Amino acid sequence: DFNIFLDQAQLARGLSEFGFYAGVLAPLGFSGPRYTDTPAVSGFYRRGLTDRLTLGANLQADTHGWMGGGEGVLATPIGSLAAFASASDVDGMGSGWAALVSFQRTIARGGLGADALSFSVETRSRNFAPVGVRIPVNPYSVTVGANYTTSFTEGLYAGADLRYSRGRGAEPDVTSLRGTLGWTVSPRLNLTGDVGYERDQRGSRFSTFL
């Protein structure tokens, strides 16, 4: 289950990356995968046209619908820009579309590793759906996000996420903020803690995770 079919990885000039998968749909049930008789295929192809530009295409399909799209990743002096676009069609629900534009920058800080900064804007139509989804659920029309992660030592790091989602129809707009602190105690033990805050017209909510 992918929100984005591919990540923002780049390929050197002349290199290709591809995959093709065929089988049957197997939604997860209470006791594990539940195999069906519905055949499905999924595939993608990506190629580095230059050391700075990577382009790709992808397609998924089953007997009830399909989803296909394209992507482009461009390296610039200030960071990596990526754009993804996709269209879908589900029997009985019609066609839909989705698009995502993102920016990522890695900031080196000597021997302490690197900081990471990212921004993204994503939009989805009401009926957009990946393969295997019969009734699309897209409560938000646009989602804007920003993330910053930094390392204090080789084993201690922190990050912050800010996100705004515009509700579709009666769904309220939502603003959320999350802070993360992580500590690599040893090669076999990691501790991570999250604190989250979310607000919409229904009120405010806090969450914690360890």
Side-chain angles (χ1 to χ4, degrees):
D1 181 14
F2 295 99
N3 288 334
I4 306 171
F5 191 81
L6 298 167
D7 64 11
Q8 196 163 318
Q10 289 181 271
L11 298 174
R13 179 179 182 179
L15 288 183
S16 297
E17 179 184 28
F18 58 89
F20 179 78
Y21 314 89
V24 297
L25 295 182
L28 189 62
F30 290 108
S31 58
R34 181 176 57 83
Y35 294 96
T36 69
D37 295 326
T38 304
V41 294
S42 179
F44 70 91
Y45 178 82
R46 308 176 72 237
R47 184 170 179 83
L49 298 186
T50 70
D51 288 339
R52 292 180 174 270
L53 177 63
T54 298
L55 297 180
N58 57 77
L59 178 67
Q60 297 178 330
D62 64 10
T63 56
H64 299 283
W66 58 267
M67 181 187 77
E71 64 144 336
V73 182
L74 177 66
T76 74
I78 62 171
S80 178
L81 291 169
F84 304 83
S86 186
S88 70
D89 188 85
V90 179
D91 289 349
M93 300 302 299
S95 59
W97 57 270
L100 174 83
V101 177
S102 67
F103 169 82
Q104 294 181 359
R105 177 177 174 86
T106 301
I107 306 169
R109 292 195 295 109
L112 290 179
D115 295 352
L117 174 67
S118 67
F119 300 96
S120 66
V121 179
E122 180 182 3
T123 179
R124 297 187 180 198
S125 69
R126 185 183 301 273
N127 290 331
F128 176 77
V131 166
V133 175
R134 299 291 174 260
I135 302 177
V137 179
N138 296 303
Y140 304 109
S141 59
V142 177
T143 298
V144 180
N147 171 269
Y148 189 84
T149 303
T150 185
S151 54
F152 302 108
T153 67
E154 290 185 357
L156 185 64
Y157 63 91
D161 292 279
L162 178 63
R163 187 171 299 271
Y164 167 77
S165 299
R166 180 184 296 171
R168 173 177 278 118
E171 188 73 23
D173 299 350
V174 177
T175 301
S176 61
L177 177 65
R178 182 184 66 173
T180 301
L181 183 65
W183 178 31
T184 302
V185 182
S186 71
R188 297 186 177 184
L189 179 62
N190 294 326
L191 296 177
T192 304
D194 287 351
V195 176
Y197 169 79
E198 186 177 87
R199 180 175 178 81
D200 58 25
Q201 66 183 25
R202 295 168 295 195
S204 302
R205 295 169 293 279
F206 289 90
S207 64
T208 58
F209 174 80
L210 180 62

